[in-house]
Amino acid sequence: MTDYKRLLDEAREARKYSYSPFSHFSVGAALLAEDGKIFRGCNLESAVFSPSLCAERVALAKALSEGVTGFTAIAIVGAENGEEPTNPCFPCGVCRQVLSEHVNLSGFEVVVEKDGRPEIHLLSELLPSAFVFEK
Ligand code: THU
């Protein structure tokens, strides 16, 4: 069974390394692979803005670039720099799409934190009618 609280704690840990001097909003993510490995990511911004990376895609890129491909869940926490997250931090539309291309859409879980407790959503619920590239 997935330890959602542990996954949120991993995301909280990842958030410590956020580089977000422009938005002043730091995000941490923890991506759980089928084999139990956890890949952490934080948002990394750039002074020219467009190369900025969301925490979720940093975690995903770390896993994929190490040959890991099966995933079951991702936990995300986010808040203003220096503040403790209070509201749930949902993945942006771009991250929802990119995640959808690497997971089993109907089973993959997105874990956010609400009132100090894990709240679980299916990616399929957050991204209905995902774009699928068909040649
Ligand atoms: N951000 C993430 O890392 N993940 C999300 O799901 C939402 C937004 C980052 C991007 C940017 O560095 C900052 O949060 C403010 O948008």
Side-chain angles (χ1 to χ4, degrees), residues 35-79:
D35 66 1
K37 276 197 198 123
I38 294 174
F39 293 85
R40 294 177 184 173
C42 59
N43 58 329
L44 302 170
E45 299 182 347
S46 159
V48 289
F49 300 131
S50 64
S52 297
L53 296 165
C54 289
E56 297 89 325
R57 276 176 294 134
V58 169
L60 182 64
K62 283 172 67 181
L64 294 175
S65 62
E66 290 181 25
V68 178
T69 52
F71 308 105
T72 60
I74 191 167
I76 307 154
V77 294

Side-chain angles (χ1 to χ4, degrees), residues 19-20 23-28 42-45 52-56 76 89-92 95:
Y19 178 70
S20 41
S23 72
H24 307 287
F25 192 87
S26 44
V27 182
C42 59
N43 58 329
L44 302 170
E45 299 182 347
S52 297
L53 296 165
C54 289
E56 297 89 325
I76 307 154
C89 181
F90 284 93
C92 76
C95 289

Side-chain angles (χ1 to χ4, degrees), residues 31 74 91 93 105:
L31 178 66
I74 191 167
L105 240 196

Side-chain angles (χ1 to χ4, degrees), residues 80-98:
E80 293 266 315
N81 291 354
E83 311 238 317
E84 282 307 307
T86 46
N87 296 319
C89 181
F90 284 93
C92 76
V94 169
C95 289
R96 293 179 199 200
Q97 174 64 35
V98 174

